[in-house]
Amino acid sequence: MIVQQLNKVIYRPQDRPIVFDLIFEDTVKSAPLIVFCHGYKGYKDWGAWGLLAKAFASQGIAFLKFNFSHNGGTVQQPLDFPDLEAFAQNNYSKELHDLSCVLDWVIENHEEGNAIDLKSIFLMGHSRAGGIVTIQASEDLRVKKVITLAGVSDYKSRFPKGDALRRWKKDGVYYVENKRTRQQMPHHIQFYNDFLAHEARLDIERAAKKCTIPHLILHGDDDQAVSIEEAKKLHVWSSSSIYKCIEGGNHVFGAKQPWEDSEMPPNLIKVWAEILDFINN
């Protein structure tokens, strides 16, 4: 039977809590574990991610998906963005710290040889989080494989430039509209300053070149948000990578929020099949 431990919380003394789901087949012992990281303006329950988690669990692969602590959600309301001040305080360093804390929780709460195989921990990141998992994989020996879905190849180029950057520095905040929720999503200048302070670590090219574990790169050729050329760059840089193009796939592989169908969209099923093959071989 598939067990879904939903909206569990990792409380941390000095940091905001992390809300997560753990989905697994309770008859499977020593299951490989995928730790999934959502992208920009995303969260663990967006679209068809829940169906993807259950699809992996049905094949004996445990799946942990979590909200970054500053993604704009809260423990009480983990969907959407009730806490825009937290969102404004997010940055890449915090997301890497959150991911490390999640991996720490996995190790501390699961004994070797029990439900989860601690020697088979895999990271999966969508969009912006493709960079996060690539950096983490290059640094963390606990990670055995890494998967990037529509992943970005560079962070620096995504910051405002010229007059827009000067206005951001002067005002201390700039806003991006969330077209679905109609919210103006704030970004404090600390986001940019933190990147500059940790630019070497946050260089995805450097991390990809350093990464020696198996790396699956999946990208749709109809992605209007992140060019498929970024996937091709990652493939060149990551020496142990496999690159697969999902024909007709958009940035979210056919999913949307809310996703009300009982089945995943066809292109996300293709993604699932490619990942299964990658994990099992």
Side-chain angles (χ1 to χ4, degrees), residues 12-203:
R12 304 177 292 173
Q14 306 301 323
D15 299 300
R16 286 173 60 88
I18 295 172
V19 185
F20 72 96
D21 301 335
L22 181 60
I23 299 93
F24 57 95
E25 170 58 62
D26 65 353
T27 62
V28 175
K29 299 299 180 185
S30 295
L33 173 68
I34 294 173
V35 177
F36 173 79
C37 302
H38 66 76
Y40 177 58
K41 292 187 288 187
Y43 44 91
K44 66 180 178 63
D45 298 306
W46 188 94
W49 298 140
L51 292 176
L52 183 65
K54 286 190 281 187
F56 280 112
S58 73
Q59 299 300 308
I61 299 168
F63 197 98
L64 189 156
K65 54 189 176 79
F66 69 97
N67 283 350
F68 285 116
S69 61
H70 287 72
N71 79 322
T74 64
V75 170
Q76 294 76 23
Q77 189 178 336
L79 277 69
D80 285 332
F81 313 101
D83 192 341
L84 290 180
E85 178 57 29
F87 182 91
Q89 295 292 345
N90 197 19
N91 59 52
Y92 300 125
S93 296
K94 287 176 181 173
E95 293 189 351
L96 283 165
H97 178 58
D98 287 347
L99 178 52
S100 288
C101 288
V102 169
L103 294 175
D104 290 344
W105 179 88
V106 170
I107 300 298
E108 291 166 5
N109 288 273
H110 296 86
E111 296 180 4
E112 186 59 48
N114 206 329
I116 290 175
D117 181 1
L118 300 181
K119 293 186 174 67
S120 298
I121 295 176
F122 314 135
L123 299 185
M124 183 194 305
H126 176 249
S127 191
R128 151 169 157 170
I132 295 297
V133 298
T134 302
I135 295 166
Q136 187 74 29
S138 75
E139 300 176 345
D140 195 329
L141 295 176
R142 298 174 295 186
V143 179
K144 303 308 178 186
K145 294 186 178 183
V146 61
I147 302 146
T148 50
L149 309 180
V152 301
S153 65
D154 176 67
Y155 285 141
K156 189 173 185 177
S157 65
R158 289 175 159 77
F159 285 108
K161 299 174 183 64
D163 288 342
L165 179 57
R166 285 188 283 273
R167 283 195 301 272
W168 190 15
K169 290 178 177 178
K170 178 178 180 292
D171 298 340
V173 62
Y174 88 92
Y175 297 88
V176 173
E177 183 181 13
N178 184 319
K179 290 182 171 55
R180 183 177 60 82
T181 67
R182 301 302 180 189
Q183 291 169 292
Q184 294 296 319
M185 312 289 282
H187 300 72
H188 287 175
I189 193 63
Q190 63 79 29
F191 182 26
Y192 181 68
N193 292 337
D194 181 81
F195 173 80
L196 293 180
H198 303 99
E199 186 170 355
R201 185 189 185 200
L202 297 172
D203 184 333

Side-chain angles (χ1 to χ4, degrees), residues 247-266:
E247 293 186 6
N250 64 8
H251 189 56
V252 287
F253 304 101
K256 63 180 181 178
Q257 176 61 25
W259 184 257
E260 297 174 339
D261 201 318
S262 61
E263 302 291 334
M264 291 186 288

